[in-house]
Amino acid sequence: MCHVLIIEDEPLIALDLEDLLQANGARSFSFADRQDNAIEASRKTHPDFIVSDVTLLQGTGPLAVEAIRGELGPIPVIFVTATPDACSPCAPPGRVFRKPLDRRAIGDAFRSMAFAA
């Protein structure tokens, strides 16, 4: 089973990502639209994978991911953003994709990162 935390403040994009990732093997999802909600969601259900926007309603996706990884250890992440230059800290092993969504590239990256082990 692959549980994905989607950190995205645009509901239609979050639902599109859910559909895309489910088609590529994800089985369950948590959603957050704010930095603090993302951290709390990860505490309730440990994600196997994270997909995050950069700019959120409150805080940033990269800072949420950094805090989550600090508590739970390494978790693969894909950042999907309209502002890739603002993606900080987005150091590897994360991948950064520009909006609008490149469904094929994101699906390929998800499969290779989530099921590499």
Side-chain angles (χ1 to χ4, degrees):
M1 175 186 284
C2 182
H3 180 76
V4 179
L5 172 58
I6 297 176
I7 307 170
E8 172 61 62
D9 60 356
E10 296 182 46
L12 292 177
I13 293 176
L15 292 173
D16 192 22
L17 286 166
E18 177 187 28
D19 181 60
L20 169 64
L21 299 173
Q22 191 168 36
N24 282 280
R27 294 294 170 244
S28 62
F29 298 88
S30 297
F31 298 89
D33 59 2
R34 303 164 52 98
Q35 182 177 324
D36 56 351
N37 292 348
I39 296 165
E40 186 60 32
S42 74
R43 290 175 180 150
K44 289 180 181 173
T45 305
H46 187 299
D48 300 305
F49 201 95
I50 300 171
V51 176
S52 179
D53 193 358
V54 171
T55 304
L56 303 173
L57 294 174
Q58 173 272 323
T60 73
L63 291 177
V65 169
E66 184 177 59
I68 292 165
R69 285 179 167 173
E71 288 185 21
L72 302 177
I75 299 170
V77 62
I78 291 175
F79 293 97
V80 181
T81 180
T83 57
D85 293 338
C87 197
S88 179
C90 290
R95 299 269 316 267
V96 180
F97 291 93
R98 179 181 287 278
K99 289 179 183 175
L101 302 181
D102 181 339
R103 296 177 64 80
R104 183 177 183 153
I106 293 169
D108 289 347
F110 172 73
R111 284 191 316 278
S112 70
M113 295 169 72
F115 304 110

